[in-house]
């Protein structure tokens, strides 16, 4: 349940809150001032669009008003945004020292702004930077990978002292969400994989902007799905699944150019 107040002295009656609320929680009264509908506390998802869109700062949601929030709007040009997004690279060579936890926590907070669908903030993050835990993770992954011929080369490299599994990364990050139960679109967990992927993308881009490098790891995601000991090592809460994972650390390699990419398929209908 959410709470909301409207300062009628500030409200100018422009109706922007009415138009922006996809849950239809607002209406205008006979004087042209906004009000919250009677059943809105149970329907509001707490997305904050109403607070963001009100130019007069008349709305407070769950005690948070315009004066408590930073200004919105783009601070980059389209060209700068494009250059930043294209500059992200998969990093597989890392400095030995672990990531600064305060800086990483800041990046995780930024990742919480990723889209979720109806503002379901159910994504969680787990960071493993303990060397003993990372070594145990390597052991568990190698033991599991021995079942599959396709990974013989990776396991052989690991057994010869070449870390082909975690690539010497001082940190491993997993993104988890509610377990999926069937394919019904009515179940709250239906979008859990997509929501986690969006949050993971936001996180790695935030980390890239703060001088940290990442590399997605399908091995960890699949291994966690098949090996209970991997999930236990990450202390994954009950009822949760790991949907995204990546290696992380400070890059020791500099990229001087942005590689070429083919224009992807685009169909207009």
């Amino acid at each position: 349940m959410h709470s909301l107040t409207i300062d009628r002295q500030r409200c100018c009656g422009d109706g922007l809150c009415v138009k922006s609320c996809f849950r239809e929680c607002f209406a205008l009264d006979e004087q042209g001032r906004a009000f919250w509908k009677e059943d809105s506390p149970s329907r509001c998802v707490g997305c904050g669009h109403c607070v963001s869109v009100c130019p007069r700062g008349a709305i407070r949601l769950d005690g948070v008003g315009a004066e408590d929030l930073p200004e919105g709007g783009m601070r980059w040009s389209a060209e700068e945004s494009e250059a930043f997004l294209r500059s992200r690279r998969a990093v597989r060579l890392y400095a030995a020292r672990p990531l600064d936890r305060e800086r990483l926590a800041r990046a995780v907070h930024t990742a919480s702004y990723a889209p979720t669908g109806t503002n379901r903030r159910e994504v969680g993050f787990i960071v493993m930077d303990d060397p003993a835990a990372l070594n145990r993770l390597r052991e568990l992954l190698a033991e599991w990978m021995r079942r599959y011929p396709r990974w013989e080369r990776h396991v052989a490299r690991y057994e010869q002292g070449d870390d082909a599994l975690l690539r010497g990364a001082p940190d491993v990050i997993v993104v988890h969400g509610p377990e999926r139960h069937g394919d019904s679109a009515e179940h709250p967990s239906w979008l859990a994989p997509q929501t986690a992927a969006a949050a993971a993308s936001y996180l790695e881009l935030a980390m890239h902007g703060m001088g940290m490098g990442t590399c997605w790891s399908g091995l960890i995601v699949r291994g966690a799905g098949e090996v209970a000991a991997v999930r236990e090592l990450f202390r994954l809460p009950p009822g949760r699944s790991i949907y995204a994972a990546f290696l992380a650390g400070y890059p020791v390699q500099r990229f001087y150019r942005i590689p070429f990419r083919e224009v992807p398929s685009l169909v207009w209908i």
Side-chain angles (χ1 to χ4, degrees):
M1 299 282 283
H2 297 276
S3 63
L4 183 141
T5 59
I6 301 174
D7 186 335
R8 292 181 60 83
Q9 299 301 316
R10 290 187 179 184
C11 178
C12 63
D14 56 17
L16 291 176
C17 54
V18 179
K19 297 174 183 177
S20 68
C21 181
F22 76 99
R23 299 292 286 179
E24 300 180 346
C25 294
F26 293 87
L28 298 180
D29 62 19
E30 294 178 354
Q31 287 76 45
R33 296 292 187 267
F35 70 93
W36 222 32
K37 297 179 182 178
E38 186 175 350
D39 61 345
S40 294
S42 61
R43 291 193 294 116
C44 173
V45 299
C47 68
H49 277 14
C50 55
V51 181
S52 297
V53 78
C54 180
R56 302 288 292 274
I59 300 174
R60 296 186 69 85
L61 176 64
D62 294 333
V64 178
E67 65 275 12
D68 304 310
L69 302 172
E71 291 186 6
M74 287 288 294
R75 293 181 172 82
W76 288 355
S77 67
E79 291 75 17
E80 289 171 327
S81 298
E82 182 181 88
F84 170 73
L85 292 171
R86 291 183 176 186
S87 70
R88 187 215 63 85
R89 303 261 63 80
V91 174
R92 298 181 178 88
L93 297 174
Y94 305 97
R97 70 185 189 281
L99 294 173
D100 180 81
R101 288 189 170 187
E102 184 176 348
R103 179 180 295 186
L104 184 52
R106 180 180 174 186
V108 168
H109 187 204
T110 297
S112 71
Y113 286 83
T116 62
T118 66
N119 202 43
R120 300 185 67 88
R121 300 293 161 183
E122 299 176 328
V123 172
F125 303 84
I126 299 172
V127 180
M128 181 181 292
D129 60 6
D130 176 67
L134 290 168
N135 284 334
R136 179 57 179 157
L137 178 60
R138 292 182 179 93
E139 294 171 356
L140 291 172
L141 290 176
E143 181 180 352
W144 163 70
M145 292 167 67
R146 290 188 182 97
R147 307 175 193 171
Y148 300 95
R150 62 173 293 191
W151 285 324
E152 287 181 358
R153 183 169 58 87
H154 292 77
V155 174
R157 288 174 57 188
Y158 164 73
E159 292 174 342
Q160 294 168 8
D162 181 5
D163 186 11
L165 309 186
L166 303 186
R167 301 193 179 273
D171 290 72
V172 166
I173 304 170
V174 299
V175 186
H176 60 90
E179 289 180 349
R180 284 195 64 175
H181 298 278
D183 293 322
S184 172
E186 299 298 322
H187 197 279
S189 67
W190 184 61
L191 283 176
Q194 293 89 337
T195 297
S201 293
Y202 265 53
L203 178 57
E204 70 161 352
L205 287 170
M207 292 173 65
H208 171 51
M210 299 167 70
M212 297 177 277
T214 59
C215 181
W216 286 66
S217 174
L219 280 178
I220 295 174
V221 175
R222 185 171 174 184
E226 295 189 23
V227 183
V230 172
R231 298 192 296 273
E232 294 169 1
L233 185 64
F234 279 108
R235 302 176 188 173
L236 191 67
R240 310 285 289 183
S241 293
I242 293 175
Y243 294 113
F246 40 81
L247 317 176
Y250 293 112
V252 295
Q253 187 178 48
R254 180 178 177 183
F255 297 95
Y256 292 95
R257 281 165 280 292
I258 296 175
F260 172 75
R261 293 289 185 268
E262 293 282 355
V263 177
S265 172
L266 174 61
V267 178
W268 301 96
I269 298 175

